[in-house]
Amino acid sequence: MSQKKIRNMEEFAAVSGISRPTLSKYFNDPESVRKSTRQRVEDALLHYDYRPNFYAMNQNRRTTRNIGIVVPYLADPFFTEIGRAVEVKCIEAGYSPILLSSHGNPDQENDNLEALRALKPAGVLLAPLGRASDKGAITKFSTEVPLVLFDANIEDTGEAFVGTDNFQSVDLMVEYLCRSGQPPCFFEMKSPSNPNANKRRQAYFESMARQGHEAHVFQAEGEGWDFEEIGSSEGGQLLIDNAFPTNTVLCSNDRLAIGMLAAAYKNDIKVGLEPDASMRIAGHDDHPFSKFTCPPLTTISQDYAAIADRAVSTLFGIIESDSKPATRKESLFDGKLVMRDSA
């Protein structure tokens, strides 16, 4: 056997003189190539120190060119947008994406993964529900199929996570709101569905401390994905009761902020930067509808394109590698402040 370790299929193709597509075809199904070709591949495997991909090239697991994409709630335009970005990247790389929604239901999330497992995908990109997710089921799934999480992280699950740096983004917003007016209160759900909410609350506490201001957190009852309704009913009541000690509110996400803006309008509470406005409201995520609210919502934009590109390229790197990654990778992107008329 050669002393040189062959790191990937490209190197094996180069030293063996067998084309990359032929090798891929052989490793997916040895019976799919001619007997003479099969013998050449097997002779080369005996001569060179190379073992096929731990995941996609396992001879006992016939994979496809399918990539599963699972998002928590496809009716939410935020996930529609980021799901579309990931989908486009897969198509550009020559894979066939299968986009599924978990509809905010952990049982449906598990069913989606089981359905994908039966389809033998090359890999899966998962934006998990988070707190409600069945971590054990997802971890087990990742032992059989290459898995990259995006948007919401579940610690120590999957081979990688790609998302936004919530501590950077919330600090950016808090610093701006403190610099431009009264320091913000923080409005969130008491039982948030998405783990990003917990990071944003902690980031708010830390940022307010750095700015030298007291933190004020207000938590709304309710759970699930009806954020606008909760923002309107619970946030609206706080506005009516004059419960906020400052005239500025940072909502944990844009959908809560959109609901609060609607409640403010209904109750003749003017929001914005004009002298006769009594409140400022800001959000996080740059929801596709945030630029069309009245007034347009000041928020933090997440870099959809960068997140999609990194998630897809990370997954493809795992698929093409010859072994499972030794360590789990995390990639976080900075958010960008989007200043509009609401704050």
Side-chain angles (χ1 to χ4, degrees), residues 140-159:
K140 183 177 183 299
F141 179 86
S142 71
T143 65
E144 302 175 26
V145 181
L147 179 68
V148 170
L149 305 187
F150 68 100
D151 180 62
N153 196 9
I154 299 178
E155 299 294 334
D156 305 319
T157 303
E159 278 70 65

Side-chain angles (χ1 to χ4, degrees), residues 23-41:
L23 290 172
S24 180
K25 189 176 182 182
Y26 168 84
F27 287 130
N28 281 321
D29 180 9
E31 299 300 322
S32 66
V33 299
R34 291 195 300 268
K35 184 177 180 180
S36 59
T37 302
R38 188 162 64 249
Q39 188 60 54
R40 287 181 62 206
V41 175

